[in-house]
Amino acid sequence: MNPSIALPARRISDLLSSGVGARAKSKHEAMEKPKTDEDQQLVARTQSGDAGAFDQLVVKYTPRLYGLVYNMTSNHEDTNDLLQDIFSKAYKAIRGFRGKSSFYTWIHSIAVNMTLNFLKKRSRRFHLSLDDVDASIQNDKEFLELTATSSPVREADLSELQRRLNEAMMKLSDVHRAVVTMFHIQGMPHAEISKVLRVSEGTVRSRLFYANRQLQNYLDEFRKNPVG
């Protein structure tokens, strides 16, 4: 099985039965907030010339950012290289950080944007206009009327489902895979994702809806004929 996309099994039934994953919203919104006070202190120390303070930020955020970048690139070497570049850019830019957003949001924005730029250079296969997709999805009747009701997928061969889901994830565009990664895998709420991507929450929801619909289409055969 390709381990690159580790979408948790608990989210699979929502993906197969719901376009937006509405039932997960309360869990995401209740997610523990980053400890911004600690981050602010480390940022202030870094800005004062304490390189050791930035090292602490690197240690703190490396596991999370590694998961984010790896799920977007599906390549360990690319992920390692990008993380070095991400933290290098952050260190150079941190003197200009004024705390208008949390460090958590700021470093995630750098990571996502640098990874998306890298992926654009790596592949030019995606030509669909995101603006067109966002506009059409937000007017979609199913999107507007979607409720939290769903039918959980019955117990099946989850390893096979995971394999197919991994393959389906890699067929998504870079931007849509980023949104799925942040929401479903990293547990980030819509509001936080909108800050990271610098788009409206409505756009985040529409992109997530579109990505989930694509995943549903890719997994349609398994959904109709589950193993077990």
Side-chain angles (χ1 to χ4, degrees):
M1 183 180 79
N2 182 353
S4 60
I5 305 298
L7 193 60
R10 66 179 179 276
R11 299 294 308 127
I12 292 176
S13 62
D14 284 337
L15 281 174
L16 293 177
S17 58
S18 169
V20 179
R23 292 197 308 166
K25 181 180 178 182
S26 61
K27 295 181 181 179
H28 287 282
E29 297 298 342
M31 184 181 66
E32 181 181 356
K33 296 291 184 181
K35 296 181 179 179
T36 55
D37 289 343
E38 176 185 325
D39 287 353
Q40 289 171 356
Q41 293 174 10
L42 292 173
V43 168
R45 286 168 52 192
T46 302
Q47 291 173 330
S48 298
D50 184 356
F54 188 76
D55 290 342
Q56 292 183 52
L57 288 169
V58 171
V59 171
K60 179 178 180 179
Y61 282 97
T62 290
R64 186 175 185 86
L65 294 183
Y66 191 96
L68 172 66
V69 176
Y70 182 52
N71 276 286
M72 291 174 65
T73 64
S74 186
N75 185 285
H76 285 295
E77 290 186 7
D78 291 340
T79 299
N80 288 326
D81 290 343
L82 275 166
L83 278 185
Q84 291 185 39
D85 292 342
I86 289 164
F87 284 120
S88 176
K89 180 174 182 177
Y91 184 72
K92 293 176 181 177
I94 200 166
R95 289 187 181 278
F97 178 69
R98 295 291 178 262
K100 292 182 179 180
S101 65
S102 66
F103 179 81
Y104 172 94
T105 299
W106 186 71
I107 194 67
H108 276 74
S109 294
I110 292 175
V112 170
N113 288 329
M114 290 185 69
T115 303
L116 289 175
N117 287 336
F118 167 80
L119 291 173
K120 285 178 182 178
K121 295 177 182 178
R122 192 173 75 172
S123 174
R124 300 290 182 179
R125 290 177 299 176
F126 180 65
H127 301 292
L128 184 63
S129 167
L130 285 174
D131 291 336
D132 290 343
V133 171
D134 293 337
S136 63
I137 287 297
Q138 290 183 41
N139 291 318
D140 188 283
K141 181 179 180 181
E142 183 182 353
F143 175 64
L144 296 174
E145 297 179 353
L146 188 68
T147 67
T149 58
S150 62
S151 325
V153 66
R154 67 191 177 91
E155 290 298 322
D157 184 350
L158 288 181
S159 63
E160 173 64 14
L161 178 56
Q162 185 74 67
R163 183 186 68 80
R164 297 192 187 196
L165 185 60
N166 292 347
E167 294 176 352
M169 278 285 286
M170 295 310 298
K171 293 179 181 179
L172 294 177
S173 74
D174 299 335
V175 173
H176 288 102
R177 190 161 67 251
V179 173
V180 170
T181 298
M182 284 186 279
F183 184 78
H184 287 303
I185 300 177
Q186 299 222 308
M188 294 174 67
H190 298 122
E192 195 67 41
I193 298 172
S194 73
K195 293 177 183 177
V196 170
L197 296 178
R198 298 180 183 177
V199 298
S200 69
E201 286 190 51
T203 295
V204 170
R205 292 176 188 276
S206 67
R207 291 182 183 179
L208 184 62
F209 178 82
Y210 176 83
N212 285 350
R213 174 179 282 177
Q214 292 302 106
L215 290 174
Q216 285 179 297
N217 291 337
Y218 294 138
L219 294 169
D220 190 57
E221 180 181 350
F222 183 88
R223 183 160 57 94
K224 291 179 179 178
N225 301 290
V227 176

